[in-house]
Amino acid sequence: MNSKKYFITAAAVLIVGVCVFFVMGNVINGFYFFDNEIVINILSVLSGILAGIAMFLFIRLINVKNNDKKIIYEMAYIDKVTGMMNKNKFVSEAADILMKKNDKYAAVVLEVNNFDVINELFGFDEGNDILRFIARVIERNLNEGELFARATASRFNILIKYDDNEGIKTRLEMIMDDISEYKGDDNISAKCSVSSCCGVYVINDESLFDNYSEMEFNISHIFGRAKFALSEVTGNYINYCSFYNEEIRSQLIYESDMEYALKNNEFVVYIQPKYDIKNHILTGGEALVRWNHHDKGFLPPDKFVPLFEKNGFIVELDMYVFEVVCKMQKRWLDMGLNPVRISVNQSRIHLFKRDYVDVLKGILDKYQVPANLIELEITETVAFESMDVIVDVLKRLHEIGFKISMDDFGSGYSSLNMLKDLEVDVLKIDKAFFEETSNTKKGQNIIESIIDMASRLGIETVAEGVETVEQVELLQGNGCDVAQGYFYAMPMPLEDYENNELINRRNVES
Ligand code: C2E
Ligand code: CA
Ligand code: CA
């Protein structure tokens, strides 16, 4: 109780006590006809004191009740860290605002980048200070009829009025810039800057807010979409906003379907043959995955592989493709078809997984396929990430007997220098590199020296995306070993590869 409350309570107790004193004096006097004034006075004083105590207890009781109510209210509606409204209160206030349908709104999720690292490095107290600072920044930047609350440890939900994308972007950038101004006690910003990013979903469908009983679900749905837009940029960008759009929507659909698709054999493995460039004989094939989506039809890998690389599902998918290839090689061996080496694409994510080599070995053993019938294609960009890890993984893969190829050579910042550190058996020259350089004399010299250098190092060269007879002649002239491309054959289903390539080749040979 504060001093004002003490004063009011004391005054109330005194007034009630005095009133009761007088009343009781008259009552006792009137009813019982006591003529002893002393007794009357004692009884009146006692009654006054008792009434005062009763009054005091009554006021205490009301105060305790009010305090309890306050604690319950705070627990239910106040965020302990920021001291501002919490997620529950936010949902109910957002529901009230959205049901009025007076203005157009956007749902925004703001995330502090690398918050766990900040907590780890500077401790929870500093982390909480940052969250309080962010809450004040957001509060300062919001207008009437806009709301925010902390939704998870490092994430804030904001309901903001929408004019157009640019307008929202400018306002959010202002908030993110202000957040990056944070300076803690030890001036942590000097050591680690506080950056954030935002996902935005513009609320277009007002019918979501017709029914109060569905509001909680619908509000979590719109912020779910903003969160999904956020996942596009989290950690990748500093002070950046991403808007939910149709492309992200279809990714959402693909993501929800991918496990189902794997179980229901919707992923289909195609093989594109590779040929010896001198005599046009089949020397190998590359496994390329397609998705026969139950709803969307046949999807090429560029529609889903980049997404799966982001969400990690590519690990499962690559292993599935690897297993299909092992199974087929076993079948072709058993059929006496003398199969050729098949390459499978391996996402860079695998190389950083501890059990990667063991999992591959397990599948290989399951089908009893000689490892040299499998080639693992790894993109050249991986070489820039962590040379030590890659050198070690490639060594272990070689010990098992796999062939390794460096895919898309020439598409990035390739360097012939890295070939001396990485043990690779095959270099796949990227189609784009080939297109850009092959039409000038200088370009042709570059191709020639790459092929020459590779062959000196004992590395086989494969040209990808070969489409014309001129390209074939150029590659032949430069000593390239193998070609793959539409000029020879398109990627084809396994049955076609078996019938048209393997069985055909055996017939020609015999
Ligand atoms: P990539 O590994 O560079 O595969 C070669 C791509 O070039 C294939 O595209 C192939 O169909 C296409 N191609 C072949 N010959 C020609 C040609 O003459 N001209 C042109 N323009 N293109 C040709 P696809 O099948 O669409 O695959 C695209 C990419 O998706 C692949 O590029 C690879 O990076 C990725 N990918 C495919 N399957 C898998 C997989 O199982 N796992 C992983 N991680 N990635 C895969
Ligand atoms: Ca490839
Ligand atoms: Ca390639």
Side-chain angles (χ1 to χ4, degrees):
M1 262 200 281
N2 57 30
S3 54
K4 196 172 160 196
K5 274 190 186 160
Y6 269 123
F7 179 75
I8 295 172
T9 311
V13 168
L14 195 68
I15 292 166
V16 170
V18 171
C19 291
V20 171
F21 170 79
F22 282 118
V23 170
M24 287 312 285
N26 287 331
V27 169
I28 294 165
N29 205 2
F31 277 98
Y32 298 101
F33 308 105
F34 278 116
D35 41 11
N36 187 336
E37 279 226 357
I38 298 173
V39 175
I40 291 171
N41 283 341
I42 290 171
L43 284 176
S44 300
V45 169
L46 282 177
S47 308
I49 291 171
L50 279 176
I53 292 171
M55 181 70 187
F56 175 76
L57 291 175
F58 180 68
I59 291 172
R60 282 284 315 206
L61 193 68
I62 289 176
N63 272 331
V64 167
K65 275 199 168 167
N66 282 345
N67 259 348
D68 283 353
K69 266 193 200 157
K70 198 171 152 228
I71 290 168
I72 291 167
Y73 177 88
E74 284 181 359
M75 275 167 62
Y77 295 126
I78 302 291
D79 174 35
K80 264 197 242 131
V81 175
T82 61
M84 303 201 186
M85 81 167 68
N86 71 4
K87 203 174 155 196
N88 295 340
K89 177 85 173 145
F90 176 85
V91 170
S92 86
E93 295 219 347
D96 290 344
I97 291 177
L98 292 169
M99 282 194 83
K100 285 189 195 132
K101 299 184 184 174
N102 288 343
D103 292 290
K104 196 164 175 178
Y105 278 90
V108 177
V109 177
L110 179 144
E111 163 117 64
V112 190
N113 286 327
N114 302 322
F115 188 67
D116 41 355
V117 178
I118 295 177
N119 263 340
E120 192 63 38
L121 290 179
F122 303 106
F124 286 107
D125 289 345
E126 189 74 54
N128 286 348
D129 278 351
I130 293 174
L131 295 174
R132 278 188 282 275
F133 176 79
I134 293 175
R136 284 198 300 275
V137 168
I138 302 176
E139 187 183 39
R140 200 170 59 225
N141 279 281
L142 292 192
N143 299 327
E144 174 114 27
E146 299 178 332
L147 296 174
F148 81 99
R150 196 166 67 102
T152 62
S154 57
R155 230 174 238 174
F156 290 80
N157 283 355
I158 309 174
L159 186 69
I160 196 165
K161 283 186 187 160
Y162 177 80
D163 38 13
D164 54 31
N165 283 12
E166 269 314 300
I168 290 260
K169 211 168 148 235
T170 313
R171 287 189 62 196
L172 293 176
E173 276 169 1
M174 226 144 77
I175 293 178
M176 290 185 283
D177 284 348
D178 283 1
I179 290 172
S180 63
E181 297 286 297
Y182 177 81
K183 287 194 175 42
D185 290 342
D186 305 330
N187 196 1
I188 77 151
S189 54
K191 298 173 223 156
C192 160
S193 67
V194 180
S195 72
S196 49
C197 51
C198 292
V200 185
Y201 172 63
V202 180
I203 306 166
N204 287 316
D205 185 3
E206 289 204 338
S207 67
L208 287 173
F209 311 120
D210 288 338
N211 192 340
Y212 194 84
S213 62
E214 288 166 7
M215 282 307 278
E216 198 177 329
F217 174 80
N218 288 338
I219 286 174
S220 106
H221 173 70
I222 58 175
F223 279 93
R225 289 190 161 185
K227 205 168 80 191
F228 202 78
L230 177 79
S231 67
E232 285 286 286
V233 289
T234 313
N236 294 337
Y237 291 100
I238 292 172
N239 299 357
Y240 192 91
C241 292
S242 158
F243 283 76
Y244 182 90
N245 57 29
E246 272 313 300
E247 198 184 322
I248 293 180
R249 190 179 132 77
S250 54
Q251 286 184 6
L252 200 61
I253 294 169
Y254 295 157
E255 276 205 324
S256 63
D257 287 348
M258 61 196 188
E259 301 279 355
Y260 169 90
L262 195 61
K263 281 195 199 90
N264 290 279
N265 300 322
E266 286 188 2
F267 293 109
V268 185
V269 178
Y270 271 42
I271 295 210
Q272 185 175 34
K274 300 175 194 169
Y275 295 90
D276 185 312
I277 210 157
K278 288 185 205 86
N279 51 25
H280 304 289
I281 287 175
L282 181 79
T283 58
E286 176 175 6
L288 294 159
V289 71
R290 278 90 184 87
W291 186 354
N292 191 7
H293 193 281
H294 55 275
D295 197 24
K296 300 204 161 281
F298 221 66
L299 302 170
D302 58 333
K303 283 263 182 283
F304 55 89
V305 166
L307 169 70
F308 292 172
E309 280 182 336
K310 239 188 260 168
N311 66 22
F313 186 67
I314 196 69
V315 172
E316 281 180 67
L317 183 59
D318 281 352
M319 285 304 166
Y320 172 77
V321 173
F322 177 81
E323 181 152 5
V324 168
V325 169
C326 287
K327 202 161 145 188
M328 293 315 284
Q329 291 287 46
K330 173 74 177 146
R331 171 185 155 88
W332 295 325
L333 280 171
D334 290 347
M335 286 168 76
L337 285 178
N338 190 18
V340 288
R341 198 164 73 213
I342 300 286
S343 60
V344 289
N345 289 285
Q346 297 289 281
S347 161
R348 47 170 286 284
I349 302 175
H350 296 284
L351 304 184
F352 301 98
K353 292 224 164 256
R354 247 170 231 281
D355 60 351
Y356 171 55
V357 178
D358 294 337
V359 174
L360 283 184
K361 175 87 169 65
I363 298 173
L364 193 75
D365 290 348
K366 179 173 163 193
Y367 293 95
Q368 304 264 297
V369 174
N372 66 1
L373 278 183
I374 309 282
E375 180 177 315
L376 304 168
E377 294 198 8
I378 292 159
T379 53
E380 57 148 21
T381 46
V382 89
F384 294 99
E385 303 202 17
S386 175
M387 210 59 169
D388 291 352
V389 177
I390 293 152
V391 167
D392 177 59
V393 174
L394 296 194
K395 188 167 159 268
R396 288 165 59 211
L397 292 171
H398 268 137
E399 278 164 10
I400 297 172
F402 289 116
K403 296 285 174 197
I404 313 279
S405 58
M406 183 168 288
D407 201 2
D408 303 338
F409 189 83
S411 64
Y413 302 96
S414 331
S415 129
L416 282 173
N417 208 24
M418 73 193 176
L419 292 180
K420 82 174 167 28
D421 301 315
L422 291 181
E423 261 190 62
V424 295
D425 308 285
V426 180
L427 198 71
K428 295 193 80 181
I429 305 170
D430 194 60
K431 177 175 161 294
F433 177 73
F434 184 60
E435 272 170 0
E436 277 162 23
T437 45
S438 65
N439 32 17
T440 63
K441 187 71 202 135
K442 204 168 157 194
Q444 288 181 18
N445 284 340
I446 296 174
I447 294 175
E448 199 181 322
S449 47
I450 289 175
I451 295 172
D452 183 51
M453 164 82 95
S455 84
R456 277 164 205 259
L457 293 169
I459 298 173
E460 184 182 302
T461 43
V462 177
E464 292 189 292
V466 177
E467 289 180 356
T468 64
V469 68
E470 291 77 22
Q471 289 170 335
V472 174
E473 283 165 358
L474 176 82
L475 291 163
Q476 273 174 337
N478 288 326
C480 181
D481 301 306
V482 175
Q484 174 187 351
Y486 299 162
F487 175 77
Y488 293 97
M490 305 276 285
M492 57 187 77
L494 293 167
E495 308 75 61
D496 292 359
Y497 173 77
E498 180 178 309
N499 293 328
N500 303 342
E501 299 293 329
L502 287 180
I503 294 182
N504 228 357
R505 182 177 63 127
R506 194 182 58 172
N507 292 344
V508 170
E509 277 172 354
S510 53

